CSV table of all heavy atoms in Angstrom, one decimal:
chain,number,residue,atom,x,y,z
W,1,LEU,N,25.6,26.7,107.2
W,1,LEU,CA,26.3,28.1,107.0
W,1,LEU,C,27.8,27.9,107.3
W,1,LEU,O,28.6,28.6,106.7
W,1,LEU,CB,25.6,29.0,108.0
W,1,LEU,CG,24.3,29.6,107.5
W,1,LEU,CD1,23.6,30.3,108.7
W,1,LEU,CD2,24.3,30.4,106.3
W,2,LEU,N,28.1,27.1,108.4
W,2,LEU,CA,29.5,27.0,108.7
W,2,LEU,C,30.3,26.3,107.6
W,2,LEU,O,31.5,26.8,107.3
W,2,LEU,CB,29.7,26.0,109.9
W,2,LEU,CG,29.5,26.7,111.3
W,2,LEU,CD1,29.5,25.6,112.4
W,2,LEU,CD2,30.5,27.7,111.6
W,3,ARG,N,29.7,25.5,106.8
W,3,ARG,CA,30.4,24.8,105.7
W,3,ARG,C,30.6,26.0,104.6
W,3,ARG,O,31.7,26.0,103.9
W,3,ARG,CB,29.7,23.7,105.2
W,3,ARG,CG,29.7,22.4,106.1
W,3,ARG,CD,29.0,21.2,105.6
W,3,ARG,NE,29.0,20.2,106.6
W,3,ARG,CZ,27.9,19.8,107.3
W,3,ARG,NH1,26.7,20.4,107.0
W,3,ARG,NH2,27.9,18.9,108.2
W,4,GLN,N,29.6,26.8,104.3
W,4,GLN,CA,29.8,27.9,103.4
W,4,GLN,C,30.9,28.8,103.8
W,4,GLN,O,31.7,29.2,103.0
W,4,GLN,CB,28.4,28.6,103.2
W,4,GLN,CG,27.4,27.7,102.6
W,4,GLN,CD,26.0,28.5,102.4
W,4,GLN,OE1,26.0,29.6,102.3
W,4,GLN,NE2,24.9,27.8,102.5
W,5,LEU,N,30.8,29.3,105.0
W,5,LEU,CA,31.8,30.2,105.5
W,5,LEU,C,33.2,29.7,105.6
W,5,LEU,O,34.1,30.4,105.3
W,5,LEU,CB,31.4,30.8,106.9
W,5,LEU,CG,30.1,31.7,106.9
W,5,LEU,CD1,29.6,31.8,108.3
W,5,LEU,CD2,30.4,33.0,106.2
W,6,ASP,N,33.3,28.4,105.9
W,6,ASP,CA,34.6,27.8,106.0
W,6,ASP,C,35.3,27.6,104.6
W,6,ASP,O,36.5,27.9,104.5
W,6,ASP,CB,34.5,26.4,106.7
W,6,ASP,CG,35.9,25.8,107.1
W,6,ASP,OD1,36.7,26.6,107.3
W,6,ASP,OD2,36.0,24.6,107.0
W,7,LYS,N,34.5,27.4,103.6
W,7,LYS,CA,35.0,27.4,102.3
W,7,LYS,C,35.6,28.7,101.8
W,7,LYS,O,36.5,28.8,101.0
W,7,LYS,CB,33.9,26.9,101.3
W,7,LYS,CG,33.5,25.5,101.4
W,7,LYS,CD,32.4,25.0,100.4
W,7,LYS,CE,32.0,23.6,100.5
W,7,LYS,NZ,30.9,23.3,99.6
W,8,ARG,N,34.9,29.7,102.3
W,8,ARG,CA,35.4,31.1,101.9
W,8,ARG,C,36.4,31.7,102.9
W,8,ARG,O,36.8,32.9,102.7
W,8,ARG,CB,34.2,32.1,101.8
W,8,ARG,CG,33.1,31.6,100.8
W,8,ARG,CD,32.0,32.6,100.8
W,8,ARG,NE,30.8,32.1,100.0
W,8,ARG,CZ,29.8,32.8,99.8
W,8,ARG,NH1,29.6,34.0,100.2
W,8,ARG,NH2,28.8,32.3,99.1
W,9,ASP,N,36.8,30.9,103.9
W,9,ASP,CA,37.8,31.4,104.9
W,9,ASP,C,37.3,32.7,105.6
W,9,ASP,O,38.1,33.6,105.9
W,9,ASP,CB,39.2,31.7,104.3
W,9,ASP,CG,39.9,30.4,103.8
W,9,ASP,OD1,39.7,29.4,104.4
W,9,ASP,OD2,40.6,30.4,102.8
W,10,ALA,N,36.0,32.6,105.9
W,10,ALA,CA,35.4,33.9,106.4
W,10,ALA,C,35.4,33.9,107.9
W,10,ALA,O,35.0,34.8,108.5
W,10,ALA,CB,33.9,34.0,105.9
W,11,LEU,N,35.8,32.7,108.5
W,11,LEU,CA,35.8,32.6,110.0
W,11,LEU,C,37.1,32.0,110.5
W,11,LEU,O,37.7,31.1,109.7
W,11,LEU,CB,34.6,31.8,110.5
W,11,LEU,CG,33.2,32.4,110.4
W,11,LEU,CD1,32.2,31.4,110.8
W,11,LEU,CD2,33.0,33.7,111.2
W,12,PRO,N,37.6,32.3,111.6
W,12,PRO,CA,38.8,31.7,112.2
W,12,PRO,C,38.5,30.2,112.3
W,12,PRO,O,37.4,29.8,112.8
W,12,PRO,CB,39.0,32.3,113.5
W,12,PRO,CG,38.3,33.7,113.5
W,12,PRO,CD,37.2,33.3,112.6
W,13,PRO,N,39.5,29.3,112.0
W,13,PRO,CA,39.3,27.9,112.1
W,13,PRO,C,38.9,27.4,113.5
W,13,PRO,O,38.0,26.5,113.6
W,13,PRO,CB,40.6,27.3,111.7
W,13,PRO,CG,41.3,28.3,110.9
W,13,PRO,CD,40.8,29.6,111.4
W,14,GLU,N,39.5,28.0,114.5
W,14,GLU,CA,39.1,27.6,115.9
W,14,GLU,C,37.6,27.8,116.2
W,14,GLU,O,37.0,27.1,116.9
W,14,GLU,CB,40.0,28.2,116.9
W,14,GLU,CG,40.1,29.7,116.9
W,14,GLU,CD,41.1,30.3,115.9
W,14,GLU,OE1,41.5,29.5,115.0
W,14,GLU,OE2,41.3,31.5,116.0
W,15,LEU,N,37.2,29.0,115.6
W,15,LEU,CA,35.8,29.3,115.9
W,15,LEU,C,34.8,28.4,115.2
W,15,LEU,O,33.9,27.9,115.7
W,15,LEU,CB,35.6,30.8,115.4
W,15,LEU,CG,34.0,31.3,115.5
W,15,LEU,CD1,33.6,31.2,116.9
W,15,LEU,CD2,33.9,32.7,114.9
W,16,VAL,N,35.2,28.0,113.9
W,16,VAL,CA,34.5,27.1,113.2
W,16,VAL,C,34.3,25.7,113.9
W,16,VAL,O,33.3,25.1,114.0
W,16,VAL,CB,35.1,26.9,111.8
W,16,VAL,CG1,34.4,25.7,111.0
W,16,VAL,CG2,35.0,28.1,111.0
W,17,ARG,N,35.5,25.2,114.4
W,17,ARG,CA,35.5,24.0,115.1
W,17,ARG,C,34.6,24.0,116.4
W,17,ARG,O,33.8,23.1,116.7
W,17,ARG,CB,36.9,23.6,115.6
W,17,ARG,CG,37.8,23.2,114.3
W,17,ARG,CD,39.0,22.5,114.8
W,17,ARG,NE,39.9,23.4,115.5
W,17,ARG,CZ,40.8,24.2,114.9
W,17,ARG,NH1,41.0,24.1,113.6
W,17,ARG,NH2,41.5,25.0,115.7
W,18,GLY,N,34.8,25.1,117.1
W,18,GLY,CA,33.9,25.2,118.4
W,18,GLY,C,32.4,25.3,118.1
W,18,GLY,O,31.7,24.6,118.7
W,19,VAL,N,32.0,26.1,117.1
W,19,VAL,CA,30.6,26.1,116.8
W,19,VAL,C,30.1,24.9,116.2
W,19,VAL,O,28.9,24.5,116.5
W,19,VAL,CB,30.3,27.4,115.9
W,19,VAL,CG1,28.8,27.5,115.5
W,19,VAL,CG2,30.7,28.7,116.5
W,20,ARG,N,30.9,24.3,115.4
W,20,ARG,CA,30.4,23.0,114.7
W,20,ARG,C,30.2,22.0,115.8
W,20,ARG,O,29.3,21.2,115.8
W,20,ARG,CB,31.5,22.6,113.7
W,20,ARG,CG,31.2,21.3,113.1
W,20,ARG,CD,32.3,20.9,112.1
W,20,ARG,NE,32.4,21.8,111.0
W,20,ARG,CZ,33.5,22.1,110.2
W,20,ARG,NH1,34.6,21.5,110.6
W,20,ARG,NH2,33.4,22.9,109.2
W,21,ALA,N,31.2,21.9,116.8
W,21,ALA,CA,31.0,20.9,117.9
W,21,ALA,C,29.7,21.2,118.7
W,21,ALA,O,29.0,20.2,119.1
W,21,ALA,CB,32.3,21.0,118.8
W,22,LYS,N,29.5,22.4,118.9
W,22,LYS,CA,28.3,22.8,119.7
W,22,LYS,C,27.0,22.4,119.0
W,22,LYS,O,26.0,21.9,119.5
W,22,LYS,CB,28.3,24.3,119.9
W,22,LYS,CG,27.2,24.8,120.8
W,22,LYS,CD,27.2,26.4,121.0
W,22,LYS,CE,26.1,26.8,121.9
W,22,LYS,NZ,26.2,28.3,122.1
W,23,ALA,N,27.0,22.6,117.6
W,23,ALA,CA,25.8,22.2,116.8
W,23,ALA,C,25.7,20.7,116.9
W,23,ALA,O,24.5,20.2,117.0
W,23,ALA,CB,26.0,22.7,115.4
W,24,HIS,N,26.8,19.9,116.7
W,24,HIS,CA,26.6,18.5,116.7
W,24,HIS,C,26.1,17.9,118.1
W,24,HIS,O,25.3,17.1,118.1
W,24,HIS,CB,28.0,17.8,116.4
W,24,HIS,CG,28.3,17.9,114.9
W,24,HIS,ND1,27.4,17.6,113.9
W,24,HIS,CD2,29.4,18.3,114.2
W,24,HIS,CE1,27.9,17.8,112.6
W,24,HIS,NE2,29.2,18.2,112.8
W,25,LEU,N,26.6,18.6,119.1
W,25,LEU,CA,26.2,18.2,120.5
W,25,LEU,C,24.8,18.4,120.7
W,25,LEU,O,24.1,17.6,121.3
W,25,LEU,CB,27.1,18.9,121.5
W,25,LEU,CG,28.6,18.5,121.6
W,25,LEU,CD1,29.4,19.4,122.6
W,25,LEU,CD2,28.7,17.0,122.0
W,26,ALA,N,24.3,19.6,120.2
W,26,ALA,CA,22.9,19.9,120.3
W,26,ALA,C,22.1,18.9,119.6
W,26,ALA,O,21.0,18.5,120.0
W,26,ALA,CB,22.6,21.3,119.9
W,27,ASN,N,22.5,18.5,118.3
W,27,ASN,CA,21.7,17.6,117.5
W,27,ASN,C,21.7,16.3,118.2
W,27,ASN,O,20.7,15.5,118.2
W,27,ASN,CB,22.3,17.5,116.1
W,27,ASN,CG,21.8,18.7,115.2
W,27,ASN,OD1,20.7,19.2,115.5
W,27,ASN,ND2,22.6,18.9,114.2
W,28,ILE,N,22.9,15.8,118.7
W,28,ILE,CA,22.9,14.6,119.5
W,28,ILE,C,21.9,14.5,120.6
W,28,ILE,O,21.3,13.5,120.8
W,28,ILE,CB,24.4,14.3,119.9
W,28,ILE,CG1,25.2,14.0,118.6
W,28,ILE,CG2,24.5,13.1,120.9
W,28,ILE,CD1,26.8,13.9,119.0
W,29,GLU,N,22.0,15.6,121.4
W,29,GLU,CA,21.0,15.7,122.5
W,29,GLU,C,19.6,15.6,122.0
W,29,GLU,O,18.8,15.0,122.7
W,29,GLU,CB,21.2,16.9,123.2
W,29,GLU,CG,20.4,17.1,124.6
W,29,GLU,CD,20.7,18.4,125.2
W,29,GLU,OE1,21.6,19.1,124.9
W,29,GLU,OE2,20.0,18.7,126.3
W,30,ARG,N,19.3,16.3,120.9
W,30,ARG,CA,17.9,16.2,120.4
W,30,ARG,C,17.5,14.8,119.9
W,30,ARG,O,16.4,14.4,120.0
W,30,ARG,CB,17.8,17.3,119.2
W,30,ARG,CG,16.4,17.2,118.4
W,30,ARG,CD,16.4,18.4,117.5
W,30,ARG,NE,17.5,18.3,116.5
W,30,ARG,CZ,17.5,17.6,115.4
W,30,ARG,NH1,16.4,16.9,115.1
W,30,ARG,NH2,18.6,17.6,114.5
W,31,LEU,N,18.4,14.0,119.4
W,31,LEU,CA,18.2,12.7,118.8
W,31,LEU,C,18.4,11.6,119.9
W,31,LEU,O,18.4,10.4,119.6
W,31,LEU,CB,19.0,12.5,117.6
W,31,LEU,CG,18.8,13.4,116.4
W,31,LEU,CD1,19.8,13.1,115.4
W,31,LEU,CD2,17.4,13.2,115.9
W,32,ALA,N,18.7,12.0,121.1
W,32,ALA,CA,19.2,11.0,122.1
W,32,ALA,C,18.1,10.1,122.5
W,32,ALA,O,18.4,9.0,123.2
W,32,ALA,CB,19.7,11.7,123.4
W,33,GLY,N,16.9,10.3,122.1
W,33,GLY,CA,15.8,9.4,122.5
W,33,GLY,C,15.4,8.4,121.4
W,33,GLY,O,14.6,7.5,121.6
W,34,ASP,N,16.2,8.4,120.2
W,34,ASP,CA,15.9,7.5,119.1
W,34,ASP,C,17.1,7.0,118.6
W,34,ASP,O,17.9,7.6,117.9
W,34,ASP,CB,15.1,8.2,118.0
W,34,ASP,CG,14.5,7.3,117.0
W,34,ASP,OD1,15.3,6.4,116.5
W,34,ASP,OD2,13.5,7.6,116.5
W,35,ALA,N,17.5,5.7,118.8
W,35,ALA,CA,18.7,5.1,118.5
W,35,ALA,C,18.9,5.1,117.0
W,35,ALA,O,20.0,5.3,116.5
W,35,ALA,CB,18.8,3.8,119.1
W,36,ALA,N,17.9,4.8,116.3
W,36,ALA,CA,18.0,4.6,114.8
W,36,ALA,C,18.3,6.0,114.2
W,36,ALA,O,19.2,6.1,113.4
W,36,ALA,CB,16.6,4.1,114.2
W,37,GLN,N,17.6,7.0,114.6
W,37,GLN,CA,17.9,8.3,114.1
W,37,GLN,C,19.3,8.8,114.4
W,37,GLN,O,20.0,9.5,113.6
W,37,GLN,CB,16.9,9.4,114.5
W,37,GLN,CG,15.4,9.2,113.9
W,37,GLN,CD,14.5,10.3,114.2
W,37,GLN,OE1,14.9,11.3,114.6
W,37,GLN,NE2,13.2,10.1,113.9
W,38,LEU,N,19.6,8.6,115.7
W,38,LEU,CA,20.9,9.0,116.1
W,38,LEU,C,22.1,8.3,115.4
W,38,LEU,O,23.1,8.9,114.9
W,38,LEU,CB,21.1,8.8,117.6
W,38,LEU,CG,22.4,9.1,118.3
W,38,LEU,CD1,22.7,10.6,118.0
W,38,LEU,CD2,22.4,8.8,119.7
W,39,ALA,N,21.9,7.0,115.1
W,39,ALA,CA,22.9,6.2,114.4
W,39,ALA,C,23.0,6.7,112.9
W,39,ALA,O,24.0,6.8,112.3
W,39,ALA,CB,22.6,4.7,114.4
W,40,ALA,N,21.8,7.0,112.4
W,40,ALA,CA,21.8,7.6,110.9
W,40,ALA,C,22.5,8.9,110.8
W,40,ALA,O,23.3,9.2,110.0
W,40,ALA,CB,20.4,7.7,110.5
W,41,TYR,N,22.3,9.8,111.9
W,41,TYR,CA,23.0,11.0,111.9
W,41,TYR,C,24.5,10.8,112.1
W,41,TYR,O,25.3,11.5,111.4
W,41,TYR,CB,22.4,11.8,113.2
W,41,TYR,CG,23.1,13.3,113.3
W,41,TYR,CD1,22.6,14.3,112.6
W,41,TYR,CD2,24.1,13.4,114.2
W,41,TYR,CE1,23.2,15.6,112.7
W,41,TYR,CE2,24.7,14.7,114.4
W,41,TYR,CZ,24.2,15.7,113.6
W,41,TYR,OH,24.7,17.0,113.8
W,42,LEU,N,24.9,10.0,112.8
W,42,LEU,CA,26.4,9.8,113.1
W,42,LEU,C,27.0,9.1,111.9
W,42,LEU,O,28.2,9.4,111.6
W,42,LEU,CB,26.6,8.8,114.3
W,42,LEU,CG,26.1,9.5,115.7
W,42,LEU,CD1,26.2,8.5,116.7
W,42,LEU,CD2,27.0,10.7,116.0
W,43,ARG,N,26.3,8.4,111.0
W,43,ARG,CA,26.9,7.8,109.9
W,43,ARG,C,27.3,8.8,108.8
W,43,ARG,O,28.2,8.6,108.2
W,43,ARG,CB,26.0,6.7,109.3
W,43,ARG,CG,26.0,5.3,110.1
W,43,ARG,CD,25.4,4.2,109.2
W,43,ARG,NE,23.9,4.5,109.0
W,43,ARG,CZ,23.0,4.1,109.9
W,43,ARG,NH1,23.3,3.4,111.0
W,43,ARG,NH2,21.7,4.4,109.7
W,44,GLN,N,26.5,9.8,108.8
W,44,GLN,CA,26.8,10.9,107.7
W,44,GLN,C,27.7,12.0,108.3
W,44,GLN,O,28.0,12.9,107.6
W,44,GLN,CB,25.4,11.4,107.3
W,44,GLN,CG,24.5,12.1,108.3
W,44,GLN,CD,24.9,13.5,108.7
W,44,GLN,OE1,25.3,14.3,107.9
W,44,GLN,NE2,24.8,13.9,109.9
W,45,LEU,N,28.1,11.8,109.5
W,45,LEU,CA,29.1,12.8,110.2
W,45,LEU,C,30.5,12.6,109.7
W,45,LEU,O,31.0,11.5,109.9
W,45,LEU,CB,28.9,12.6,111.7
W,45,LEU,CG,29.5,13.8,112.5
W,45,LEU,CD1,28.7,15.0,112.3
W,45,LEU,CD2,29.5,13.4,114.0
W,46,PRO,N,31.0,13.6,109.1
W,46,PRO,CA,32.4,13.4,108.6
W,46,PRO,C,33.4,13.1,109.8
W,46,PRO,O,33.2,13.6,110.9
W,46,PRO,CB,32.8,14.7,107.9
W,46,PRO,CG,31.5,15.4,107.6
W,46,PRO,CD,30.6,14.9,108.7
W,47,ASP,N,34.5,12.4,109.5
W,47,ASP,CA,35.4,12.0,110.5
W,47,ASP,C,36.0,13.3,111.3
W,47,ASP,O,36.3,13.3,112.5
W,47,ASP,CB,36.6,11.1,110.1
W,47,ASP,CG,36.0,9.7,109.7
W,47,ASP,OD1,35.0,9.4,110.2
W,47,ASP,OD2,36.6,9.1,108.9
W,48,ASP,N,36.3,14.3,110.4
W,48,ASP,CA,37.0,15.5,111.0
W,48,ASP,C,36.0,16.4,111.8
W,48,ASP,O,36.5,17.4,112.3
W,48,ASP,CB,37.6,16.3,109.9
W,48,ASP,CG,36.6,16.8,108.9
W,48,ASP,OD1,35.4,16.4,108.9
W,48,ASP,OD2,36.9,17.7,108.0
């Protein structure tokens, strides 16, 4: 949803960055028990 809203400039950029970081941190915590899945998740993560 963040990617859709960001394309339409529907949210402030700082809010998008904050929520996106929170989402990635939650996913990293969820995958912290499996190195292979975590590495695969990080490989598809854009640099920005």
Side-chain angles (χ1 to χ4, degrees):
L1 287 170
L2 278 175
R3 294 184 181 107
Q4 294 180 30
L5 290 168
D6 193 29
K7 287 179 182 178
R8 304 182 187 184
D9 293 327
L11 291 174
E14 59 274 11
L15 178 61
V16 172
R17 288 193 295 269
V19 177
R20 180 183 289 156
K22 184 178 180 181
H24 285 312
L25 290 172
N27 280 337
I28 289 169
E29 183 179 358
R30 175 172 56 86
L31 299 173
D34 190 320
Q37 289 188 15
L38 179 57
Y41 179 81
L42 294 172
R43 279 194 296 272
Q44 56 85 36
L45 194 64
D47 291 336
D48 60 349

